[in-house]
Amino acid sequence: MVVIGGGSAGFAAANKAQSNGAKVAIVDEGPLGGLCILRGCMPTKTILRSSDILALMRRAKEFGLSAQNPSANLALINDRKNRLITEFANYRIKQLNDPRFTLFKEKASFLSPHKLKVGPHTIQAKSFIIATGSTVEDFSIPGLAEYGFFTSDEILEIRQTPESMTVLGAGPVAVELAQFFCRIGTKVTLIQRSNHILSKGDEDLARPIEARFREEGMALYTKTQLLRVENLRDSCKVFFTHEGSEKFVTTKIILQALGRKPNIDGLNLSAASVNTAKGRIEVDHEMRTSVPNIYAVGDVNGLHEIVHIAIEQGEIAAHNATQKNVRRFNERLKINITFTDPPLASVGLSEKECLEKKIRYLSASYPFNDHGKSLCMGENHGHVKLLCSPTNGEVIGAHITGPEASELIHQMVTLMYYKGTVHDLMEIPHYHPTLSEIFTYPAEELVESLQISNL
Ligand SMILES: Cc1cc2nc3c(=O)[nH]c(=O)nc-3n(C[C@H](O)[C@H](O)[C@H](O)COP(=O)(O)OP(=O)(O)OC[C@H]3O[C@@H](n4cnc5c(N)ncnc54)[C@H](O)[C@@H]3O)c2cc1C
């Protein structure tokens, strides 16, 4: 087997295939390490830790403490991040160089469904797994390219806190970085086309984050249309429509965080007859492309840009390429987490999806500003929301905007893995006072709703 790309998806695929007995080559043009480690999850979560601590230090007085003028030094924050990232990357590079695999540090492109050009070599294999990830998507906004902009790749390298920044987009990457820079002292404006930030999820879950952003001094415009960028040499004006009129913001730096696209350029997929649609490689639930011996996993298939899903897909493809029985990718336990403060974490179906797919559901919410433990912690933003089946009470979706959401959600993932119901949630013991026990309140409300509807 040849795995093209040694990031999260590719390494998981190679590892699984090799332990299933396949002879595996990995081709990666480098830099080795993959997006998650080098420019994605790990560097962003490392720097967010600094801005989260800074935000808490600023609240010292509220907790009976004193902290003298806490401030951020972006160069030192990045030094800490770089030290950690180097460690993570070195570990991955060691894994890729393991003699269990043959590693080609070259660019790959297909010559046929069974032949790959790898730098100066031509290699053949029974099966191929494409795991080439994603790249930042280009958006043509008049004047943007002329003035210049940062993407999440480059913004992680700057060493001086920018005076002002306009963030284009409001997906997870955009909002995490917007809050980071706002907290370390940059005047941040966020401009978003949809009605609310994090627009793939439910509106009620995004609103408490927007409220927090505004409290922290961020200028936030939703329901906008970007018009143009005008160059003023060492700053620029970003023009957009908002509430029926044209507005502009003057800014030093633009962070273009409007989205990423599957990385398929240069793979010469047509030589292998692999079908693509809307710029992504089409796959079925077995992670197979239109050509049975070629699979595509991770960001390159455009299904979900999330690491643990990339790993799961890699393992599924490797299994299906090496074993007789078939494994399929199942979205039932799909998790999404945005590491803002408050964070947002979801598992399973949203209300938006239920309405779109005409799935019947009952829902109940409970706010953190009426919950003992979150009040003790001074974390009052947000709420939890449970969705259950109106027939048997099985939990089909769970959502949290609020403290420790990224950790708390795993309680709901476990419950849903075992197809637990709101009745189960009421019976499972919860220690007091904890954040976790907040779920028992919406569960209780849903149990009552089910009793009423069954009368
Ligand atoms: C700023 C940011 C923050 C993020 N935060 C999170 C988070 O907190 N949690 C989360 O789950 N996800 C997060 N993500 C998304 C996550 O990083 C990706 O979903 C994941 O890393 C994709 O893994 P992959 O294996 O598909 O691709 P990659 O890790 O990008 O691997 C692709 C590999 O293919 C190689 N390659 C490409 N083309 C070729 C070629 N033609 N020949 C040879 N080699 C090639 C590349 O060198 C690369 O090593 C974040 C993303 C960004 C940008």
Side-chain angles (χ1 to χ4, degrees), residues 174-246:
V175 295
E176 287 177 7
L177 288 169
Q179 190 174 37
F180 169 78
F181 280 100
C182 181
R183 286 182 156 185
I184 67 164
T186 300
K187 189 172 179 307
V188 173
T189 304
L190 190 137
I191 301 175
Q192 153 76 347
R193 191 177 52 183
S194 306
N195 179 31
H196 59 89
I197 65 166
L198 299 167
S199 59
K200 282 191 183 161
D202 289 342
E203 179 175 340
D204 62 301
L205 298 164
R207 293 297 185 205
I209 304 172
E210 292 180 353
R212 183 69 169 243
F213 281 5
R214 290 193 169 107
E215 276 169 29
E216 292 182 350
M218 195 188 300
L220 188 70
Y221 295 92
T222 53
K223 264 178 134 175
T224 67
Q225 197 195 343
L226 276 168
L227 296 174
R228 64 189 182 281
V229 174
E230 276 180 20
N231 193 342
L232 308 173
R233 289 226 197 117
D234 68 341
S235 65
C236 69
K237 282 183 177 177
V238 180
F239 288 84
F240 55 98
T241 55
H242 182 246
E243 291 173 349
S245 63
E246 187 173 308

Side-chain angles (χ1 to χ4, degrees), residues 70 72 119 282 429 435:
E282 286 185 306
L435 291 172

Side-chain angles (χ1 to χ4, degrees), residues 308-336:
H308 75 278
I309 294 184
I311 293 170
E312 187 185 347
Q313 291 181 348
E315 290 179 347
I316 289 173
H319 175 96
N320 292 338
T322 55
Q323 306 292 304
K324 289 214 168 69
N325 64 332
V326 168
R327 269 186 68 187
R328 292 189 178 82
F329 177 64
N330 183 343
E331 287 196 347
R332 190 176 72 84
L333 296 178
K334 180 183 70 200
I335 312 171
N336 277 301

Side-chain angles (χ1 to χ4, degrees), residues 33-50:
L35 178 65
C36 169
I37 292 175
L38 300 176
R39 299 181 310 275
C41 333
M42 303 313 273
T44 50
K45 268 78 258 181
T46 307
I47 63 169
L48 282 170
R49 177 74 175 151
S50 297

